[in-house]
Amino acid sequence: MFLERIVSEGLAHFSYLVGSGAKAFVVDPRRDCQVYADLAKREGMRITHIFETHRNEDYAIGSQDLVQLTGAKVLHGPGLDWEYGEELADGQRYRFGGLELEAVHTPGHTYESMSYVLRDTSAGSEPVLAFTGDTLFVGDVGRTDLPGPEHRRKLSELLYDSLHKRLLTLGDGCIIAPAHGAGSVCGGDIADRATSTIGLERTQNPLIRLSKEDFVERKMREILERPPYFSQMEIMNQRRHLPLSGLPVPQPLVPGEFAEAIGSGAVVVDTRLPHSYAGAHTKGSSSIWIDGLPAYAGWLLPYDRPLLLVVEDEQQVERVVRMLVRIGYDNVQGYLRGGMVQWYREGLPYESTKTMDVHELKALMSREEVFVLDPRPHHEWAELHLEGAKHIFVGDMEKHLEEIPKDRPVASMCSVGFRGSMAAALLRERGYDNVAVVIGGVNAWKAAGYPVIEQ
Amino acid sequence: MFLERIVSEGLAHFSYLVGSGAKAFVVDPRRDCQVYADLAKREGMRITHIFETHRNEDYAIGSQDLVQLTGAKVLHGPGLDWEYGEELADGQRYRFGGLELEAVHTPGHTYESMSYVLRDTSAGSEPVLAFTGDTLFVGDVGRTDLPGPEHRRKLSELLYDSLHKRLLTLGDGCIIAPAHGAGSVCGGDIADRATSTIGLERTQNPLIRLSKEDFVERKMREILERPPYFSQMEIMNQRRHLPLSGLPVPQPLVPGEFAEAIGSGAVVVDTRLPHSYAGAHTKGSSSIWIDGLPAYAGWLLPYDRPLLLVVEDEQQVERVVRMLVRIGYDNVQGYLRGGMVQWYREGLPYESTKTMDVHELKALMSREEVFVLDPRPHHEWAELHLEGAKHIFVGDMEKHLEEIPKDRPVASMCSVGFRGSMAAALLRERGYDNVAVVIGGVNAWKAAGYPVIEQ
Amino acid sequence: MFLERIVSEGLAHFSYLVGSGAKAFVVDPRRDCQVYADLAKREGMRITHIFETHRNEDYAIGSQDLVQLTGAKVLHGPGLDWEYGEELADGQRYRFGGLELEAVHTPGHTYESMSYVLRDTSAGSEPVLAFTGDTLFVGDVGRTDLPGPEHRRKLSELLYDSLHKRLLTLGDGCIIAPAHGAGSVCGGDIADRATSTIGLERTQNPLIRLSKEDFVERKMREILERPPYFSQMEIMNQRRHLPLSGLPVPQPLVPGEFAEAIGSGAVVVDTRLPHSYAGAHTKGSSSIWIDGLPAYAGWLLPYDRPLLLVVEDEQQVERVVRMLVRIGYDNVQGYLRGGMVQWYREGLPYESTKTMDVHELKALMSREEVFVLDPRPHHEWAELHLEGAKHIFVGDMEKHLEEIPKDRPVASMCSVGFRGSMAAALLRERGYDNVAVVIGGVNAWKAAGYPVIEQ
Amino acid sequence: MFLERIVSEGLAHFSYLVGSGAKAFVVDPRRDCQVYADLAKREGMRITHIFETHRNEDYAIGSQDLVQLTGAKVLHGPGLDWEYGEELADGQRYRFGGLELEAVHTPGHTYESMSYVLRDTSAGSEPVLAFTGDTLFVGDVGRTDLPGPEHRRKLSELLYDSLHKRLLTLGDGCIIAPAHGAGSVCGGDIADRATSTIGLERTQNPLIRLSKEDFVERKMREILERPPYFSQMEIMNQRRHLPLSGLPVPQPLVPGEFAEAIGSGAVVVDTRLPHSYAGAHTKGSSSIWIDGLPAYAGWLLPYDRPLLLVVEDEQQVERVVRMLVRIGYDNVQGYLRGGMVQWYREGLPYESTKTMDVHELKALMSREEVFVLDPRPHHEWAELHLEGAKHIFVGDMEKHLEEIPKDRPVASMCSVGFRGSMAAALLRERGYDNVAVVIGGVNAWKAAGYPVIEQ
């Protein structure tokens, strides 16, 4: 038995390649799917089946891309209007050498959510491992808010039942292999550990230990951001799309060409760290640091215009492209060759953003009317924030601009500076002239002994 | 939490790198240990501790080599005369970021055998994972015959207690991470699946389900080969040795140089498949196919003479060297550049061995007095063998030569041909002129419908 | 200026990636063309142009495949009926940053053959380097026999003029970058050194030093094999074809599946060395050792049937596939998983071929009527052969079968054994039952002091 | 013949691995020398000889390190007090398969400088390629100022003779393989092209075309910076030193550990780009951008204290370490894990430097008494600089601090910003409080149409 977890950083997405003898299957493949084919080739296996745990919202499903590479058959949960693949029924079983995989319908996160239970028939009939998708994570369970408020209670109840009647019954010794790890937007508090078992979750997962009533209430109260690209993914993941044939390769563009591409309507994503961005950037660019792309690109970048990249080190281009295609941004036209250095070396105009440290902010707050903006997701704000700050999540800022004054200095302050930079860039673009990013953020503020409000 | 299993093929040896934050530890490192340092570097971690589950017999411990790369501290079980590292006591605990590792004394395979139990303190106090060394495998348990017959019953009883009182009590949900997988000489019947839990072993492991009395009897009756290099490893693993600094790089030798090196006392290991070896090989060479090195080199190759390699494809040299250093053969002097082709292209003398298929053997057996030699390990012979064959394990042949007639044709026949080739080479070297290798072996014989004796 | 030579082993084909600033071009790309795109990506360059030195006969041009990856423009010499790309005129110039490339018409090898002369405009106007295609090699010049006997004299004269009037005039200091190196079938005696200059060729190239008359006579007398796949390449290289999107990935096939694929009409190519092949192979398979594929596959394998592979080590599969697609064999269906060992382990029927060494052959020749067949190319035979052997080039054997007796033992003997194995396989397939391969070949025969005829 | 140029970026250092058959040699190996051993292994060659063209000043010779890996013999030019290797005499010859290498004494750059002339004996007696060390570059010739002013005229005359009597006489067709390419501090104006010939240099190299008298005068007038580490290299390169066994691996240090290491006397090198450095850096750190390390580390970093790294992306650590060991900085203790972000996330104190663009500088210059400091090497200043700026090369600043006012704002301005940042960091460290870096530098200034003084 061959089993390998493939991790997509940032998305904290786990997919799996499993094989026995010459046959293999993949659970929840990502878009840049050469990795599965390469591993299978190395192991002398053919990928014959692809199992999807659900339609997914936070990333673009790579099944159609992987079919193109391998000719495998795609299998989904029932009830959705899929334009590709086949629907599974609860209880359906598949053989792969000495392994048997059983589809178990576990609605809750979505109606069609499936788990897949693996048995090693040479060892016994007890389930050895369960691919639990977004139903059960290590230390957390799936969201129930995505299909909409009218479904939420129903889904929360279904989820409770799926967990208790379908998964916990697999036995304490059954290993779980979920679709996400710590850091995913698909869970509020997934543990920073990829490995667990039914037994461990039964005792350690705080949500599993609740009564059904408490569980449903807790899920009804949960506040998690819902990036607008989720809708895009939900559609894309049910439709046929043109499969990737290899990773897109953005062209190296010299400053003149880059400027021209901007002029033709392309959107600039600057993936450098806050200081670099603050120091010099092209007018109108978005500031999303490289590891923040999976979580934030989908809030800020359009799907209908080509993207241009500004990176710190050109060896990062491929990493950026991978992160973008995984959430459906395939049209990455080019990157600035030589980076911002080349841009200003050639005398092209750039913009800067002010930065300040927490001591400057403190001084400023006591002296004048500074507007402190906290653009973090709600749960981070709830945990710890600055007294006197105003919380508007960066993804919602467009709808709340009237709450941010144009006639006062604005200090954009997150936990460290990344989202602060992102929000500041957006405000600059909307005509705010007096915006600064607070470097160090609430963490440094608290470390300096300044007053905070903590959960 | 970072956890990665590093597999040494052939030995079916599992070692582990585990880290949290910037600190990491390794369990049971192998000799060619750059892999741990590279992984730690990639993850931004320092390897600070090395935990040994026991002294090991089937491979050379790489701790001293890894100390040279990392400066980590080595920790062993108690009671042996270690020349390096420190001894642990039962119950000793170590912190690595959010992880806690507890040493649990689990004698049985050896007296000093330790298991290591991992807890994720942020999630709860239940054991999450146990490194079970050679105490508990997936589907099997450790050998108790190695320290000698006088210890065997005692160790079997200790093992039973370690399993039932120390490991099964960790809870069904605890994942197990053993030191070996399927194919290891350290277990008779380890499952071909690396992943399991206490719960699964409690229900699926045939040895765990026995009563103490039955368990001890079963262990007392178990017949497993004991390669002579085990003694070498036991000594080497307790003593200080000169650490490897990088993998040895055998020199490419042209035929003349290769012949000269043979003349100076080096021993030739020919790692090609049976047919290639049979067709042409240098006089006096050993025939051990590449993937058979971990299991058979230690039976046939001396530790006090330099080794020379003949390989099928020169890109295999590094793989061969890795396999050899893992069992303490560091002195690999060179390889034949251009292979046997270059050797006979230059007109140097070579030898051939006869091959035959099962139909020829069948015909021969009915016609004349052929002596059919089965050189496989005892348990393979016990499972399935040819009627009329004589079983002498290849590793024991030197002591049983008088049982093999010199005046009759000998057909050396294993399950497929690898060990047959190995035994034939050895007989040729001892002056047997009329030896043939049966290609296809007992498997093909049985497939042809000829009579076999099966368990 | 960036310049890299990309070597296709076996074909001894040289292609080049050249760039300056952000722009790059490729000369004579091969089919498996990801390498150019990867290098350009690493260097931050865009491949904008592809220059072909001529239509090529010995390999499949990769321009259309590379266009698919890069969108570059393809440029050819004039006068052929190309279905893609554009025609160049003599003297046409292109700028790439500080470089200038001039197309120089150098007919001779073919009518449309172009060379490309590079100048570094920042350094001066003297030619720095010339891509000389199949016009001028290191130590040799291009063939003039391929377009047919009626063109041969004309082309030889044209070649002389192209060399003396267009290339030698570039100046002694001009570096040459030809399309082939030692071992190519495109030259009889190309030097085993990739690097040269006009000055070195002027003094060291034996063909350059001839008078026009002597040169033409020498070229008229030249005997070089013309593999039948050359015709296939000539056609394929002028036509549009479906570009490769990535390298084909043959499926791992277990013995049953492999046998089934043979039954459905696929052709088996066994790339193992002579001994392995001789020991056991599937009935009807072709024996072409791995490094012999570029030179011999095109003589023996059909283009209209799927291919199946038997390899020595499964890590060689990708290398074999590369070699095959480079000469237009894209339909590689699968490979035997586990190799011949797995085949006979499962008891499937196989065939063997006899082998003998030169001493056995010598004895046989004195005892009986053995027919010694030498299947090597003409120039090798001319250099050195066995007294009493019969020369029939393996590629021509089908047409000369009547010259090979069926009622006498045949000893197939090349210089070492590879082509001997190939010829023996072919004879077996044509019903010859008594064929043996002479291991060591003429080289070992000569080394043993037996009589040979030398040039 | 196998020939590969190995480029050390930044140093623009070229070394060469050359082989024929199973034997190979290296010319001018660098410290991180695994690359040669790996290439030789891939090609089935043994590195038996190492040839040094001269003692070298700009990098640490890797011969002793490579001897440790390979056991090769080191050969130097005559007359120096070498503690390792052997001295060569002019005309000494070595065979490597079909190649012959001749040592040719070419003093000028240093007294013991050697060139090595390669002949391909199978092709003819004309030199095919010459390794010209620091004697002849593409488009330039070696420096003659390093051994000291008293030797300069003598060396310039010797260099002229070596060039004209020993190298130009090799024939126009001889390829040259120098020790440096464009960007090296070992030449003022080496062409951005690695490949040339004697013929091309005879016509295109501006220094070769001068008369002896003009040549010597030109060399006497040449002003090139002489980094203080050159002296360190000259000593290190003649002495025995402890060879590297693998690349040093700096430890990941969390902010607290990093601060502690600073406290214990380690020196921080911050390799980020100017903006990142300006935004936040640890007090007292040096600012040397990653690709500037080879040229500037040797001016600013001590050899007797451990180094600590701050990098933009942790995947750059190995690249930084390579660059440092190549100039003898082996003691790289650690790097800041998580970068400056982690540093200020944990609330540790940092410093910032002001930045301004050229328009702000222009405004400031018209308003107040700003001191514009240009810290570039002399030849860059000579080519183009700002009216009213003061030139003090960054490497000499310590000795000229009294020329820089403490009571006025200082604008540090190079061509783009890298050296400006470096100089500003140094001034901050020396107690200058009012220093700003001009982003875009003279290039942007000129592009904006502001007045400059050009050569």
Side-chain angles (χ1 to χ4, degrees), chain D residues 328-441:
Chain D
Y329 293 100
D330 297 0
N331 189 359
V332 189
Q333 185 179 347
Y335 68 92
L336 180 56
R337 188 179 194 262
M340 279 308 293
V341 168
Q342 191 57 32
W343 183 268
Y344 52 68
R345 189 198 303 264
E346 299 193 8
L348 277 89
Y350 63 86
E351 297 200 337
S352 302
T353 308
K354 259 182 293 187
T355 59
M356 63 175 73
D357 67 17
V358 293
H359 311 291
E360 287 171 82
L361 176 64
K362 181 70 177 158
L364 208 63
M365 285 175 81
S366 61
R367 272 207 320 272
E368 56 169 311
E369 281 276 284
V370 62
F371 180 89
V372 181
L373 171 73
D374 189 323
R376 294 176 297 157
H378 178 268
H379 70 276
E380 293 187 43
W381 159 268
E383 254 176 52
L384 172 74
H385 61 263
L386 195 58
E387 209 181 315
K390 167 75 179 173
H391 177 245
I392 305 174
F393 175 60
V394 64
D396 296 327
M397 268 174 50
E398 291 279 8
K399 291 175 287 184
H400 296 268
L401 285 178
E402 77 290 347
E403 301 171 32
I404 306 169
K406 275 208 164 151
D407 54 356
R408 283 164 58 193
V410 177
S412 180
M413 181 180 194
C414 60
S415 40
V416 174
F418 296 110
R419 276 82 53 95
S421 177
M422 199 183 289
L426 208 143
L427 290 177
R428 286 292 301 266
E429 177 62 7
R430 289 298 167 270
Y432 289 75
D433 291 333
N434 197 350
V435 186
V437 179
V438 184
I439 297 298

Side-chain angles (χ1 to χ4, degrees), chain B residues 241-257:
Chain B
H241 65 79
L242 190 68
L244 284 184
S245 117
L247 217 52
V249 179
Q251 294 302 321
L253 301 174
V254 298
E257 296 167 333

Side-chain angles (χ1 to χ4, degrees), chain A residues 44 46 251-252 257 318 337, chain C residues 41 44 46 251-252 257 337:
Chain A
R46 285 200 300 277
Q251 294 301 321
E257 295 168 333
E318 186 179 313
R337 189 178 193 261
Chain C
K41 190 168 84 171
R46 284 200 299 277
Q251 293 303 319
E257 296 168 332
R337 189 178 193 263

Side-chain angles (χ1 to χ4, degrees), chain B residues 54-182:
Chain B
H54 63 299
R55 68 172 173 182
N56 287 292
E57 310 77 22
D58 61 318
Y59 72 95
I61 289 183
S63 291
Q64 297 181 64
D65 310 275
L66 188 56
V67 165
Q68 158 133 320
L69 278 184
T70 62
K73 190 181 211 172
V74 181
L75 297 149
H76 311 280
L80 282 187
D81 183 23
W82 300 104
E83 288 186 4
Y84 62 99
E86 294 177 28
E87 283 195 9
L88 281 163
D90 184 62
Q92 226 165 309
R93 294 177 180 226
Y94 292 83
R95 296 285 310 195
F96 296 88
L99 303 174
E100 189 189 74
L101 191 75
E102 182 189 358
V104 174
H105 192 201
T106 48
H109 171 63
T110 60
Y111 287 105
E112 94 291 359
S113 286
M114 298 299 276
S115 294
Y116 298 99
V117 173
L118 194 70
R119 289 177 176 82
D120 179 350
T121 56
S122 63
S125 62
E126 294 79 9
V128 159
L129 190 145
F131 299 100
T132 56
D134 276 22
T135 301
L136 176 57
F137 300 124
V138 179
D140 202 349
V141 303
R143 297 172 65 160
T144 53
D145 60 320
L146 295 176
E150 68 281 21
H151 296 281
R152 194 159 177 178
R153 181 166 299 276
K154 176 84 185 298
L155 285 171
S156 298
E157 290 168 357
L158 283 171
L159 181 60
Y160 184 90
D161 289 345
S162 291
L163 288 165
H164 287 266
K165 296 186 182 158
R166 306 305 305 268
L167 296 185
L168 289 187
T169 54
L170 296 173
D172 277 1
C174 181
I175 294 163
I176 67 163
H180 286 289

Side-chain angles (χ1 to χ4, degrees), chain B residues 151-345:
Chain B
H151 296 281
R152 194 159 177 178
R153 181 166 299 276
K154 176 84 185 298
L155 285 171
S156 298
E157 290 168 357
L158 283 171
L159 181 60
Y160 184 90
D161 289 345
S162 291
L163 288 165
H164 287 266
K165 296 186 182 158
R166 306 305 305 268
L167 296 185
L168 289 187
T169 54
L170 296 173
D172 277 1
C174 181
I175 294 163
I176 67 163
H180 286 289
S184 165
V185 290
C186 293
D189 202 19
I190 305 181
D192 182 21
R193 173 166 50 91
T195 324
S196 192
T197 58
I198 292 294
L200 286 167
E201 292 313 304
R202 201 173 43 74
T203 50
Q204 299 189 338
N205 189 316
L207 282 125
I208 295 289
R209 290 181 307 197
L210 299 175
S211 71
K212 183 163 181 177
E213 196 173 48
D214 290 348
F215 178 88
V216 173
E217 284 323 302
R218 169 84 161 266
K219 294 305 287 180
M220 292 302 290
R221 284 199 319 270
E222 192 174 52
I223 302 176
L224 290 167
E225 273 64 33
R226 191 192 193 290
Y229 84 103
F230 274 27
S231 317
Q232 182 79 17
M233 293 299 98
E234 288 163 10
I235 295 164
M236 180 172 175
N237 287 343
Q238 287 180 235
R239 300 274 165 274
R240 275 192 188 286
H241 65 79
L242 190 68
L244 284 184
S245 117
L247 217 52
V249 179
Q251 294 302 321
L253 301 174
V254 298
E257 296 167 333
F258 196 82
E260 203 178 300
I262 297 174
S264 308
V267 168
V268 177
V269 195
D270 192 316
T271 66
R272 296 175 300 151
L273 301 190
H275 277 130
S276 302
Y277 184 82
H281 51 262
T282 61
K283 188 173 152 52
S285 57
S286 286
S287 165
I288 313 179
W289 83 108
I290 185 164
D291 293 317
L293 286 167
Y296 291 97
W299 287 99
L300 300 176
L301 303 181
Y303 277 96
D304 55 359
R305 289 167 63 191
L307 301 182
L308 296 172
L309 308 179
V310 175
V311 293
E312 197 79 64
D313 179 330
E314 286 164 39
Q315 297 184 7
Q316 297 170 328
V317 169
E318 185 180 316
R319 184 144 63 103
V320 170
V321 170
R322 279 185 192 278
M323 287 175 167
L324 289 171
V325 298
R326 285 178 193 159
I327 48 175
Y329 293 100
D330 297 359
N331 189 0
V332 189
Q333 184 179 347
Y335 67 92
L336 180 56
R337 188 179 193 263
M340 278 309 292
V341 169
Q342 191 58 32
W343 182 270
Y344 52 68
R345 189 198 304 266

Side-chain angles (χ1 to χ4, degrees), chain B residues 41 44 46 251-252 257 337, chain D residues 44 46 251-252 257 318 337:
Chain B
K41 191 168 82 172
R46 285 201 300 276
Q251 294 302 321
E257 296 167 333
R337 188 179 193 263
Chain D
R46 284 201 300 276
Q251 293 303 319
E257 296 167 332
E318 185 180 314
R337 188 179 194 262

Side-chain angles (χ1 to χ4, degrees), chain A residues 5-285:
Chain A
R5 181 177 60 240
I6 289 92
V7 180
S8 304
E9 307 288 354
L11 287 171
H13 167 240
F14 298 162
S15 55
Y16 300 89
L17 175 66
V18 186
S20 176
K23 278 182 67 185
F25 63 90
V26 175
V27 179
D28 288 335
R30 66 188 191 198
R31 284 300 291 300
D32 51 327
C33 56
Q34 187 65 45
V35 61
Y36 311 107
D38 287 348
L39 277 169
K41 192 167 82 172
R42 190 191 74 188
E43 300 293 321
M45 303 185 309
R46 285 200 300 277
I47 298 173
T48 57
H49 292 75
I50 297 166
F51 294 94
E52 292 293 345
T53 58
H54 63 299
R55 68 173 173 180
N56 288 290
E57 311 78 22
D58 62 316
Y59 73 96
I61 289 181
S63 292
Q64 297 181 62
D65 310 275
L66 187 55
V67 166
Q68 158 132 322
L69 279 183
T70 62
K73 189 181 211 172
V74 182
L75 296 149
H76 311 279
L80 281 188
D81 184 23
W82 301 103
E83 290 186 4
Y84 62 99
E86 293 176 27
E87 283 196 9
L88 282 164
D90 184 62
Q92 227 166 309
R93 296 180 177 222
Y94 293 83
R95 297 284 310 196
F96 297 87
L99 303 175
E100 187 189 75
L101 191 75
E102 181 189 358
V104 174
H105 192 203
T106 48
H109 171 61
T110 59
Y111 287 104
E112 94 290 359
S113 285
M114 298 300 276
S115 294
Y116 298 98
V117 173
L118 195 70
R119 288 177 176 83
D120 178 350
T121 55
S122 63
S125 62
E126 295 80 9
V128 159
L129 189 144
F131 300 99
T132 56
D134 276 22
T135 301
L136 176 58
F137 300 123
V138 180
D140 202 349
V141 302
R143 296 171 67 161
T144 52
D145 60 320
L146 294 176
E150 69 281 21
H151 298 280
R152 192 156 179 180
R153 181 166 300 275
K154 175 84 186 299
L155 287 171
S156 299
E157 290 169 356
L158 283 170
L159 181 60
Y160 184 89
D161 289 344
S162 292
L163 289 165
H164 287 266
K165 297 186 182 159
R166 308 304 307 266
L167 297 184
L168 289 188
T169 53
L170 296 173
D172 277 2
C174 180
I175 294 164
I176 67 164
H180 286 288
S184 164
V185 291
C186 294
D189 202 20
I190 305 180
D192 182 20
R193 174 165 50 89
T195 324
S196 192
T197 57
I198 292 294
L200 286 167
E201 292 313 303
R202 203 173 42 74
T203 51
Q204 298 189 340
N205 189 317
L207 282 123
I208 296 289
R209 289 180 307 197
L210 299 176
S211 71
K212 183 163 181 177
E213 195 172 51
D214 290 349
F215 178 87
V216 173
E217 284 322 303
R218 170 83 160 266
K219 293 305 285 180
M220 293 302 291
R221 283 200 319 272
E222 192 174 51
I223 302 177
L224 290 166
E225 273 65 32
R226 189 192 195 292
Y229 85 102
F230 273 28
S231 316
Q232 181 80 18
M233 293 300 97
E234 288 164 8
I235 295 165
M236 181 172 173
N237 287 345
Q238 286 180 236
R239 300 272 164 275
R240 275 192 187 285
H241 64 78
L242 192 68
L244 283 184
S245 118
L247 218 51
V249 179
Q251 294 301 321
L253 301 174
V254 298
E257 295 168 333
F258 196 81
E260 203 179 300
I262 298 175
S264 308
V267 168
V268 177
V269 195
D270 192 316
T271 67
R272 296 174 301 150
L273 302 190
H275 278 130
S276 301
Y277 184 82
H281 51 262
T282 60
K283 188 171 152 51
S285 58

